[in-house]
Amino acid sequence: VLGNDVVLEDRIFRYSIMDLVSVARKRLMDAQSTMFDTDGNLIYTEKHIPGLGKNFLTENSRKSAIEAYGLFLEYYALMGLLQKLKADNGRSITSIEKEIREAVPITGEEDFAFTGLSTSHGDQNSSKEWEHQKYILRGIIDSTTDKEPIVPKLLSSLVSIATTIIDMVKSSKSRDDVRGRKIIPMYEHAHIPAGDTKVVRLVTEEMELLQKE
């Protein structure tokens, strides 16, 4: 039984989950291996990437995972920036950019990452999330040498990422259609096209709204 001070957290892009994504991405980036499969492809095991378990990972899959994790970490951090700008209406962009440049890693006890539970102290959790997002944004800013205000460009990249996410969802559902036609007779009579499915429409609407903002 859940107490009155505990609520179910249903957001996917929240600190407790995205911190695990950050850790996973770093493990993938730091991995080094000298093992090859019978075809001569570089592979990784639990010995090289803690948490991999009994599985093995190819070099191509490692690079794809790093790219995918990086994309959604950036999306999560940029969404935090957008929400911060909305909440702190009136603060100068220079002030927020300074706050980002001075961000430091979070240390201390983690949230209830695996259970999806959090305390009802929303302000405290929100603060920790923004600290995490700031540090990710700092990494993005530190990788540039541009002396102009970077926040407007970060928001512009958020629009670009939103477009990428729409394309990814449509592509994924389209591949389902291709596989379905090969396996299931009269597949088209029982399934609507990928672009018309509810999940694709919802994601598209959400991302288009984001682009307008």
Side-chain angles (χ1 to χ4, degrees), residues 35-162:
M35 292 182 62
F36 296 86
D37 62 16
T38 54
D39 295 324
N41 299 312
L42 187 64
I43 61 173
Y44 300 82
T45 67
E46 170 76 20
K47 176 181 177 181
H48 313 106
I49 306 175
L52 200 57
K54 300 295 184 181
N55 303 293
F56 73 89
L57 190 72
T58 65
E59 176 65 359
N60 286 340
S61 294
R62 184 184 74 91
K63 290 179 178 178
S64 296
I66 291 172
E67 182 179 354
Y69 286 169
L71 173 71
F72 284 99
L73 280 167
E74 187 172 350
Y75 170 74
Y76 154 77
L78 290 170
M79 284 298 295
L81 172 61
L82 179 61
Q83 297 304 319
K84 188 67 175 176
L85 289 168
K86 288 180 178 180
D88 293 356
N89 187 25
R91 279 187 65 187
S92 69
I93 289 179
T94 302
S95 172
I96 292 180
E97 183 170 325
K98 181 176 183 295
E99 186 179 346
I100 292 171
R101 290 187 182 279
E102 295 174 351
V104 295
I106 294 178
T107 58
E109 187 175 343
E110 299 296 332
D111 287 347
F112 299 95
F114 299 102
T115 63
L117 301 178
S118 63
T119 67
S120 59
H121 305 303
D123 292 342
Q124 181 179 356
N125 290 338
S126 176
S127 175
K128 178 180 283 190
E129 188 161 277
W130 173 235
E131 293 300 317
H132 188 227
Q133 290 165 328
K134 279 194 304 184
Y135 189 66
I136 296 173
L137 292 171
R138 177 185 170 180
I140 298 172
I141 291 178
D142 287 349
S143 66
T144 70
T145 57
D146 199 336
K147 300 300 182 183
E148 298 178 4
I150 198 71
V151 169
K153 293 185 178 181
L154 289 174
L155 294 176
S156 177
S157 67
L158 177 57
V159 173
S160 176
I161 289 175

Side-chain angles (χ1 to χ4, degrees), residues 169-170 173-174 177 192-201 204:
V169 173
K170 287 182 177 179
K173 295 300 293 180
S174 295
D177 286 345
I192 60 178
D196 296 331
T197 58
K198 183 176 181 179
V199 64
V200 172
R201 285 190 289 103
T204 301

Side-chain angles (χ1 to χ4, degrees), residues 175-195:
R175 290 196 299 271
D176 288 344
D177 286 345
V178 172
R179 286 191 294 266
R181 293 189 190 98
K182 292 180 179 179
I183 299 171
I184 304 173
M186 303 178 69
Y187 178 86
E188 292 86 352
H189 294 281
H191 298 79
I192 60 178

